[in-house]
Amino acid sequence: MSGHANDAARGPLREPRESGGLSTGEVARRLGVAPTTVRSWDRRYGLGPPGHTDGRHRRWTSVDVARLERMCALAATGVPPAEAARQARGEASPDPPPPDQVGGAAKATGPSTAPPHRGRSKAGSGLRLGDVRRECRGVARAALRLDPAALDDLMAVAIEEHGLVTAWSEVIMPALQAAGSKWEGSGERYVEVEHFLSWHISGVLRRHAPPTAGGRDGAVTVLACVPGEHHTLPLEVLVAALAERGLPVRMFGGALPAESLVSAVRRTGPAAVGLWAQSRGTASGPLAQHVAAMEWGVRGARRKPVVLTLGPGWAGRSVPGLPHPHGLAEAVAAVEDVARR
């Protein structure tokens, strides 16, 4: 998001007499966010104009825009979106955020010049996050507080503003990894934090992803965990990312038996098959090679799927001829390349 330091250069907010204010698109350009983000803040937090003009689109006045700018300034300091919205509306917060949640920009007399989208923070949150986006730190705090409303809001806004791949890679996954590290280094403590966060990530992904496309024959992607593997969350993220791009996918979840995987591939005739293995003990090269050798279609024009070995379990156990994408962005790009042929 662009900072507010350039506001003077843009000049005072003008409200054309014939329009009665700014359109949503004009407000979004002023704030440096997508129009969908402005609409989301209006819908979620009631920050928009009180009504429509002449029964048509909403028009935003200088007062309306000032509220949004106030929310942007607060969000830049790591204040959760719902709390930032309450403060922007001038409402008293039932539980004021702790001091470490409010940075210098919020305490200053003027608005923050730090860009909320790109700003990074090293302030402490109870989890070892390092140099991460402020949104990530907010997710970590909400997870530690076991605060479902704030956690859902923060992740949903991150997905809407950044797109799923960036939100996962730079906001959600670092918080999840930090929670896992906290658990591993603290005995049996903090297990509930990781489970709580994982559950809410799954819920946000399902609510965010558009309906799965039907897809033509030979264009579907099959995703499954290999036998003995129960870590489905990375595949759930990939499903949502592919659905976001209109790519048809069939998800079969955790620990799919080998014979069931073979049956699913025969029945769907996919262009790509993604096999997730979290640990080296579950990654099966022979199974991946067997699926890659499967054929279907009329004689003389038979097809085989491209098998993608996904997850850290395949590291150091590469299967000859089978791609091993690293990370969500590479996996999405690999599937797109195959499915759109």
Side-chain angles (χ1 to χ4, degrees):
M1 182 183 297
S2 61
H4 300 291
N6 295 325
D7 284 355
R10 285 194 292 262
L13 178 65
R14 291 184 173 86
E15 300 175 23
R17 205 174 285 173
E18 58 272 17
S19 66
L22 298 180
S23 69
T24 298
E26 289 169 330
V27 171
R29 285 191 293 273
R30 180 179 178 86
L31 297 174
V33 301
T36 53
T37 299
V38 176
R39 296 189 187 99
S40 173
W41 287 349
D42 181 10
R43 184 180 67 254
R44 288 174 178 272
Y45 310 121
L47 292 177
H52 292 250
T53 301
D54 297 329
R56 294 177 295 176
H57 298 294
R58 288 178 179 264
R59 311 300 297 189
W60 299 72
T61 68
S62 57
V63 174
D64 300 325
V65 176
R67 279 197 300 269
L68 293 180
E69 289 179 332
R70 174 63 174 158
M71 178 169 178
C72 289
L74 291 166
T77 70
V79 176
E83 172 62 23
R86 279 194 294 269
Q87 294 188 37
R89 292 193 304 264
E91 299 175 4
S93 173
D95 294 301
D100 72 334
Q101 278 191 277
V102 182
K107 297 174 184 176
T109 56
S112 169
T113 57
H117 288 47
R118 303 189 185 108
R120 309 183 81 84
S121 172
K122 296 183 180 180
S125 68
L127 297 179
R128 294 183 179 179
L129 293 167
D131 184 18
V132 296
R133 288 180 181 269
R134 287 188 173 89
E135 296 98 325
C136 176
R137 197 160 299 283
V139 167
R141 289 191 181 104
L144 282 172
R145 295 196 309 267
L146 304 182
D147 185 338
L151 185 57
D152 287 347
D153 274 350
L154 285 162
M155 292 192 293
V157 170
I159 292 172
E160 290 169 358
E161 294 189 359
H162 301 299
L164 183 59
V165 172
T166 298
W168 168 255
S169 302
E170 300 186 21
V171 177
I172 300 172
M173 185 175 66
L176 185 62
Q177 290 176 332
S181 298
K182 188 80 169 180
W183 166 26
E184 291 173 357
S186 306
E188 292 300 314
R189 298 178 61 201
Y190 298 102
V191 175
E192 73 282 0
V193 174
E194 186 186 41
H195 283 231
F196 179 77
L197 180 54
S198 297
W199 173 261
H200 280 270
I201 292 171
S202 292
V204 167
L205 290 172
R206 289 180 182 275
R207 289 191 295 274
H208 169 78
T212 302
R216 67 182 190 280
D217 292 343
V220 172
T221 296
V222 165
L223 298 177
C225 291
V226 295
E229 183 57 69
H230 296 273
H231 290 78
T232 64
L233 189 57
L235 285 188
E236 293 176 49
V237 178
L238 182 54
V239 168
L242 296 177
E244 189 178 60
R245 288 157 177 76
L247 296 173
V249 60
R250 302 293 179 269
M251 168 67 159
F252 292 91
L256 186 66
E259 59 272 19
S260 300
L261 172 63
V262 169
S263 176
V265 171
R266 291 193 187 284
R267 293 174 63 183
T268 57
V273 176
L275 299 179
W276 179 269
Q278 183 74 18
S279 67
R280 297 186 65 181
T282 59
S284 171
L287 175 61
Q289 289 176 319
H290 177 74
V291 174
M294 294 175 64
E295 295 183 334
W296 53 81
V298 297
R299 186 173 299 176
R302 293 188 178 276
R303 300 186 60 180
K304 297 180 180 180
V306 174
V307 175
L308 308 175
T309 55
L310 306 173
W314 299 100
R317 310 190 97 188
S318 60
V319 182
L322 304 187
H324 177 53
H326 297 277
L328 179 61
E330 283 192 22
V332 171
V335 171
E336 281 189 303
D337 180 59
V338 174
R340 297 194 187 282
R341 289 176 185 172

